[in-house]
């Protein structure tokens, strides 16, 4: 488990996708770009949170589980 900055995509108020970002500023930039093309039921949010992380075969990290409220 580690603390990560994540860009979350919500569709109809439900988290549908999450991506680890290198920093909060990079996350905010990605959020602005994604929000420009999104329709009304899709929202993006950047958070700093604890998460269970897994290492992919190429060495990159991905979020396995977000831990909220701890």
């Amino acid at each position: 488990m580690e603390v990560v900055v994540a860009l979350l995509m919500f569709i109809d108020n439900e988290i549908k996708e999450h991506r680890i970002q290198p920093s909060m500023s990079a996350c905010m930039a990605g959020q602005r770009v994604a929000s420009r093309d999104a329709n009304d039921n899709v929202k993006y949010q950047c958070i700093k949170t604890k998460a269970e992380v897994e290492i992919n075969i190429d060495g990159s990290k991905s979020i396995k589980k977000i831990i909220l409220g701890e």
Side-chain angles (χ1 to χ4, degrees):
M1 190 161 11
E2 62 184 83
V3 176
V4 298
V5 174
L7 177 57
L8 307 178
M9 179 178 73
F10 292 87
I11 298 178
D12 296 326
N13 297 317
E14 188 175 322
I15 297 173
K16 292 294 184 179
E17 191 172 326
H18 40 69
R19 301 281 177 165
I20 293 177
Q21 301 296 305
S23 66
M24 187 58 81
S25 61
C27 187
M28 300 290 278
Q31 178 184 0
R32 282 190 295 275
V33 171
S35 294
R36 287 184 197 138
D37 299 328
N39 58 24
D40 290 339
N41 66 334
V42 179
K43 303 289 182 219
Y44 295 90
Q45 181 180 356
C46 294
I47 64 168
K48 187 173 186 179
T49 187
K50 288 183 184 176
E52 287 183 26
V53 176
E54 61 185 0
I55 307 297
N56 298 319
I57 197 164
D58 64 357
S60 64
K61 293 181 180 180
S62 62
I63 297 171
K64 186 174 180 180
K65 180 180 177 183
I66 294 175
I67 312 296
L68 297 173
E70 286 188 19

